[in-house]
Amino acid sequence: MNTKKEMIAMLLAGGQGSRLHVLTKEMAKPAVPFGGKYRLIDFPLSNCVNSGIDTVGVLTQYQPLELNSYIGNGQPWSLDRMNGGVYILPPYVSDKEGTWYQGTANAIYQNINFIEQQHPQYVLIVSGDHIYKMDYSEMLSYHIKKQADATIAVINVPEEEASRFGIMNTNEDGSIYEFEEKPKSPKSTKASMGVYIFNWEKLKQYLIEDEKDTQSSNDFGKNIIPAMLDNHENMQAYPFFGYWKDVGTVDSLWEANMDLLNSKQNINLNSEQWHIFSRNEPHPPHFVGERAHIAESIVSEGCRIYGNIWYSVLFSGVVVEEGAKLNSSVVMKNTIIHQNATIKYAIIAEDAVIEEGAIIGDDPCHYSDLSEWGIAVVGRGAVVKKGQVVHPKEMIEPACDRFFNR
Amino acid sequence: MAAKAMCILFSDHYGATPMELAVGRTLATVPFGGRYRLIDFILSSLVKARIFNVGVLTKERYGSLVDHLGGGKDWDLDRKKGGLKILTPFVKAESEFIRNRNKVEALISIASYLESCSEEHVILADSNLVMNIDFEGMQQFHIENDADITLLYQERSDHKTDKLSIGCDPSGKVVDAYSGPSRIDGMTGSAFNVAIFKKSYLLLMIARAHTFGWNNLERDFITRNIHTRRVFAYRHTGFSAVINTTADYYRASMQLLDENVREELFYSETPILTRIKNSVPTVYGFSGKVKNSLIADGCEIHGKLNRCIVFRDVVIKEGAVLNNCIIMQQSVIEEGAELNCIITDKNVSISQKHILFGYSTYPFIIAKGQTV
């Protein structure tokens, strides 16, 4: 039973996110936890469902176990459908051959059969590692109105940052005439958000052509988009306004979590109209003890708080013993922070144990040379020993024998 | 691995006056513990013991129950074989039985349903029990002893006039039972309204009840037969709270603030499952001061709380001071309000600087949706 779809979504979730270092050692970037109870992939998935898209292919490759188990049958995002739903698409072998995904375009190319099964008119391509709320159906209306062959969502970035992004240079009518990847002297401030809508038949042609080119990196930004521009296809820039955060680095992931504590530049997760869904585990409500102090923080279910927490984000099941102090930190689920430990400006991954008196991270105001300061990171399941000091910018690896200890 | 028992849960009081919080909803759906409903505890124990065929008998005003349970998915009870079934009253205008006045009538109405199920044993239980029940052990005990009935009981030093007291021999067989005001030596076991019946025996009892007009489950099905049938009792150890009155409710709620009770109820091997709601994590503001309290998701805390249980999506504004309170979903406590020993039902609003004091022996309940 495969009725024709207007638009389906392909979610690129195969990346390693190497700039997140220890946090992505054992999981793909879209599975990275965020905001107390979410994972990065909740944003594009929720955006799809809220936009009325009921068929989403999730392309996985790097360390997919965490991501695949998390997505499951798609039920938390209402994507367990009779006709459509979420599909996990890993690289595969056929009787002729099989290769890993060689690039973003190659990943889509290898799934042409899947897309053809849905007979869509349009295909939405999004990445799984940005935090934002967007109505893709409005972007599609724009695409159709402008009779575009491809539409790329763009957001205005500050001029001094423009050279970090892929910049679209547009005509008066919004059509794109040039695309520059990280230009030294940017001609505009419209940065590509990595969200594309294509007419499927047209995209298919370009993907097939690109595969034949052995020199190509098989990448949307480097190959497909420039090829379409060269052929003077109708490429449109869809202007997006709102919160958008690329959480590719430790610093930006930390900042995005801290943003949740600042009501002025908040993504507003608590919106009735545009809810962000996630897979929830059963936890009791969190408990706050006699001598606990909590201010300006987010605390999730199942936590047990007996210490001091200031300006921090706590995921579920975190234990903070008496005398422990947290400041401007992100602590992921089931981590235990023992008595009198101090954690400042740090990200602690899941299942970690911070023993008594350990000191992790520090306040940047103590550093005259800020190049020596950074967010301290403790990897999943790691144990920071009694009295141990983890300096700002230092990273503790995830525990390697964790699976066998469980 | 497959369970040999199915379960029928009574979602409501039968005959007794419902407590204030159970007016307008079933006893099973009284909100408890910050994010649960009373029925969640027994459902979680059943699921832990792999008992997946659960029928919930309803009587009246069961809208909130249907809403809460849905198809049973959140308790892993959405199954092709067995699963959760909501057994609504079967009433015709000319029917003799009007709204299942007692448990016996309720059972008579589902006799054919019971017959159609393949399980050999049936657990009959109330849904107002806050405890982790070892149904796996109880089933095994029941089968090993070839019992017709196995009751669940706990040794208690205090005597409850409204509970059945039992005395057992060393093998666990019930030799005496007593339901009355004075305490009798040798009968220190206090029975819960949880029992496993051999299905063939239960169907026999139901048929007899219909024939002879029996109307009391405990007396006619159980105690009357302790000398003529194999009636055993399985011991429950650990925390237990039966919620019948507001006093029971308040006391059990405040007991959740004790670490040992929480540890046993929530951090044991039985996860307490409940309907999944997609709330955001709770946010604490600059002036939030919380002590000794249980707080659910979705809240905004700017006030002072001590020994409180706060449910989902509650807003407590700056200057509000709450002690020993239970605040249910989506309530709003405005600036400067002061509350002590108050229970607010869902969607209650307490206006600025309003002061409400109850006592721990007599907490005041503000009804659903009211504004003070």
Side-chain angles (χ1 to χ4, degrees):
Chain A
M1 180 166 101
N2 270 314
T3 51
K4 228 165 119 51
K5 303 266 169 182
E6 189 180 33
M7 180 162 78
I8 69 164
M10 296 292 270
L11 221 157
L12 299 166
Q16 178 178 355
S18 52
R19 289 173 301 157
L20 284 172
H21 306 291
V22 303
L23 294 171
T24 46
K25 197 116 186 221
E26 293 156 348
M27 68 169 92
K29 190 159 130 192
V32 168
F34 170 79
K37 65 181 276 191
Y38 305 95
R39 302 216 186 214
L40 297 185
I41 201 166
D42 290 325
F43 291 88
L45 280 178
S46 303
N47 286 340
C48 281
V49 153
N50 291 332
S51 305
I53 298 170
D54 63 15
T55 307
V56 181
V58 180
L59 284 77
T60 62
Q61 174 153 279
Y62 174 77
Q63 291 276 22
L65 178 61
E66 192 86 21
L67 190 63
N68 293 356
S69 329
Y70 182 69
I71 293 177
N73 68 350
Q75 192 257 343
W77 304 272
S78 306
L79 283 171
D80 53 336
R81 305 284 178 110
M82 270 170 71
N83 185 16
V86 68
Y87 296 83
I88 307 255
L89 302 166
Y92 58 93
V93 289
S94 66
D95 56 349
K96 295 190 195 63
E97 53 168 13
T99 63
W100 296 107
Y101 293 145
Q102 304 294 328
T104 51
N106 172 260
I108 306 291
Y109 170 81
Q110 289 204 40
N111 284 290
I112 285 181
N113 284 336
F114 165 75
I115 300 176
E116 288 283 88
Q117 265 191 347
Q118 319 295 330
H119 315 291
Q121 252 189 297
Y122 309 99
V123 174
L124 170 77
I125 315 251
V126 294
S127 72
D129 43 36
H130 297 107
I131 294 174
Y132 64 108
K133 297 202 281 197
M134 188 196 281
D135 189 342
Y136 302 130
S137 67
E138 281 186 10
M139 184 176 165
L140 179 62
S141 303
Y142 185 90
H143 174 88
I144 294 172
K145 196 172 75 168
K146 297 278 188 168
Q147 294 178 310
D149 296 301
T151 300
I152 303 172
V154 295
I155 186 168
N156 268 321
V157 295
E159 232 177 290
E160 55 284 8
E161 309 240 342
S163 45
R164 296 202 292 126
F165 295 93
I167 298 292
M168 299 288 160
N169 301 321
T170 54
N171 298 315
E172 291 253 331
D173 63 351
S175 59
I176 302 170
Y177 68 84
E178 195 181 13
F179 167 51
E180 292 188 302
E181 185 72 52
K182 299 196 178 48
K184 291 205 175 57
S185 354
K187 293 185 198 133
S188 97
T189 54
K190 294 194 174 74
S192 164
M193 294 168 69
V195 178
Y196 316 107
I197 292 183
F198 294 96
N199 294 344
W200 170 235
E201 292 301 319
K202 193 134 264 191
L203 175 63
K204 197 166 59 173
Q205 287 168 16
Y206 277 89
L207 288 174
I208 295 171
E209 275 306 306
D210 187 71
E211 265 302 297
K212 296 185 188 148
D213 177 3
T214 50
Q215 302 293 324
S216 170
S217 324
N218 305 122
D219 181 271
F220 271 103
K222 296 198 184 90
N223 307 102
I224 304 289
I225 307 287
M228 291 180 91
L229 278 172
D230 283 343
N231 286 341
H232 305 291
E233 302 285 2
N234 184 356
M235 320 268 288
Q236 293 285 334
Y238 171 72
F240 171 76
F241 303 99
Y243 184 92
W244 180 74
K245 196 101 183 173
D246 179 328
V247 284
T249 63
V250 167
D251 284 355
S252 58
L253 180 65
W254 178 85
E255 272 168 32
N257 276 289
M258 293 295 117
D259 281 348
L260 292 173
L261 303 170
N262 180 349
S263 54
K264 289 187 200 71
Q265 41 173 58
N266 213 311
I267 192 174
N268 189 13
L269 292 169
N270 200 4
S271 160
E272 291 265 328
Q273 293 85 15
W274 205 266
H275 204 87
I276 303 296
F277 301 96
S278 63
R279 187 176 284 279
N280 295 329
E281 290 169 358
H283 283 288
H286 68 263
F287 182 78
V288 184
E290 171 76 35
R291 278 170 283 276
H293 284 284
I294 311 178
E296 309 256 46
S297 294
I298 284 176
V299 179
S300 304
E301 292 188 316
C303 286
R304 292 176 269 189
I305 313 292
Y306 303 94
N308 293 8
I309 302 180
W310 171 273
Y311 220 78
S312 294
V313 176
L314 266 59
F315 286 64
S316 60
V318 170
V319 178
V320 178
E321 288 186 358
E322 216 170 302
K325 292 191 182 57
L326 270 67
N327 181 356
S328 306
S329 294
V330 178
V331 183
M332 298 186 187
K333 65 179 179 166
N334 299 326
T335 285
I336 302 177
I337 300 173
H338 286 287
Q339 286 188 19
N340 300 314
T342 308
I343 303 185
K344 293 190 201 173
Y345 293 85
I347 297 181
I348 316 286
E350 299 143 306
D351 302 315
V353 177
I354 313 296
E355 290 186 354
E356 273 174 51
I359 300 178
I360 301 185
D362 199 1
D363 207 311
C365 64
H366 296 158
Y367 287 76
S368 45
D369 180 4
L370 274 179
S371 68
E372 300 191 1
W373 179 86
I375 302 295
V377 182
V378 175
R380 190 157 145 189
V383 176
V384 177
K385 297 252 168 242
K386 217 158 153 176
Q388 184 178 344
V389 177
V390 177
H391 297 101
K393 259 169 103 153
E394 204 181 322
M395 302 214 187
I396 307 290
E397 297 278 318
C400 41
D401 55 352
R402 191 174 40 81
F403 283 112
F404 301 101
N405 276 343
R406 221 177 307 177
Chain B
M1 280 270 274
K4 300 227 170 53
M6 58 177 281
C7 181
I8 299 289
L9 293 175
F10 297 101
S11 67
D12 226 333
H13 281 292
Y14 282 84
T17 318
M19 63 182 209
E20 221 176 308
L21 287 168
V23 170
R25 45 161 77 99
T26 59
L27 185 55
T29 44
V30 170
F32 184 83
R35 68 172 293 226
Y36 306 100
R37 306 269 178 158
L38 289 179
I39 199 175
D40 290 331
F41 293 89
I42 198 164
L43 279 179
S44 302
S45 289
L46 288 165
V47 166
K48 173 76 179 21
R50 303 182 66 81
I51 295 166
F52 297 128
N53 184 349
V54 179
V56 182
L57 272 168
T58 65
K59 198 175 74 161
E60 58 196 357
R61 295 212 199 91
Y62 48 86
S64 62
L65 184 74
V66 172
D67 208 31
H68 180 66
L69 294 176
K73 192 171 205 84
D74 294 334
W75 296 264
D76 216 10
L77 286 171
D78 185 2
R79 307 269 169 144
K80 292 250 185 235
K81 184 173 191 298
L84 184 81
K85 242 183 152 63
I86 300 186
L87 301 161
T88 52
F90 181 71
V91 172
K92 293 188 284 195
E94 61 272 23
S95 172
E96 285 170 43
F97 301 120
I98 307 162
R99 286 188 291 153
N100 298 321
R101 283 167 305 182
N102 56 55
K103 287 184 179 177
V104 173
E105 283 182 5
L107 286 173
I108 292 172
S109 74
I110 58 159
S112 48
Y113 167 70
L114 287 174
E115 236 165 317
S116 71
C117 292
S118 58
E119 286 86 353
E120 272 177 60
H121 304 278
V122 182
I123 302 169
L124 295 183
D126 279 352
S127 14
N128 61 347
L129 304 156
V130 178
M131 53 199 284
N132 287 331
I133 300 175
D134 175 15
F135 278 116
E136 207 172 311
M138 193 177 169
Q139 257 186 121
Q140 202 170 347
F141 178 85
H142 175 80
I143 292 170
E144 274 170 9
N145 285 301
D146 193 30
D148 292 311
I149 307 174
T150 300
L151 304 174
L152 185 72
Y153 81 102
Q154 182 161 37
E155 290 289 335
R156 292 195 82 96
S157 48
D158 54 340
H159 176 70
K160 303 254 179 217
T161 48
D162 57 343
K163 293 255 181 46
L164 181 68
S165 297
I166 58 171
C168 309
D169 72 14
S171 72
K173 190 169 196 300
V174 177
V175 294
D176 204 354
Y178 175 74
S179 195
S182 18
R183 202 177 128 85
I184 297 202
D185 282 337
M187 289 211 279
T188 50
S190 179
F192 297 101
N193 286 339
V194 178
I196 306 184
F197 285 77
K198 208 180 248 175
K199 194 174 87 169
S200 52
Y201 174 68
L202 179 64
L203 287 172
L204 179 65
M205 289 292 105
I206 291 175
R208 288 254 172 86
H210 183 81
T211 316
F212 295 110
W214 293 349
N215 56 18
N216 187 316
L217 179 66
E218 188 179 271
R219 183 191 62 215
D220 297 320
F221 282 40
I222 302 175
T223 57
R224 187 185 288 233
N225 300 304
I226 56 176
H227 300 298
T228 51
R229 306 290 305 217
R230 296 182 63 75
V231 181
F232 281 75
Y234 183 76
R235 189 165 166 195
H236 168 83
T237 52
F239 180 78
S240 70
V242 181
I243 315 293
N244 281 316
T245 63
T246 300
D248 293 335
Y249 179 86
Y250 188 72
R251 184 181 42 245
S253 296
M254 289 296 123
Q255 278 179 296
L256 291 179
L257 300 177
D258 177 335
E259 192 176 328
N260 294 324
V261 172
R262 269 200 329 277
E263 191 71 34
E264 203 200 306
L265 264 185
F266 299 125
Y267 295 96
S268 72
E269 293 194 350
T270 307
I272 307 298
L273 305 166
T274 188
R275 181 169 174 212
I276 291 177
K277 293 275 198 173
N278 288 288
S279 296
V280 296
T282 285
V283 177
Y284 285 80
F286 185 75
S287 43
K289 275 186 174 38
V290 178
K291 291 204 297 196
N292 299 316
S293 297
L294 210 56
I295 317 276
D297 260 2
C299 295
E300 276 181 47
I301 312 282
H302 301 277
K304 271 181 76 165
L305 297 167
N306 184 21
R307 295 186 58 78
C308 290
I309 301 195
V310 180
F311 285 67
R312 213 174 17 89
D313 298 336
V314 165
V315 177
I316 310 233
K317 297 204 178 158
E318 206 173 321
V321 179
L322 281 71
N323 286 294
N324 310 304
C325 293
I326 300 174
I327 311 293
M328 295 195 191
Q329 297 90 302
Q330 291 161 323
S331 293
V332 178
I333 315 293
E334 299 281 356
E335 286 93 341
E338 273 183 54
L339 277 64
N340 192 0
C341 298
I342 300 293
I343 302 176
T344 69
D345 206 322
K346 284 167 66 168
N347 277 309
V348 160
S349 183
I350 309 288
S351 310
Q352 283 190 21
K353 301 223 183 102
H354 279 47
I355 300 182
L356 293 163
F357 271 39
Y359 288 88
S360 57
T361 47
Y362 201 96
F364 287 138
I365 300 179
I366 317 291
K368 219 192 289 193
Q370 294 300 311
T371 300
V372 177

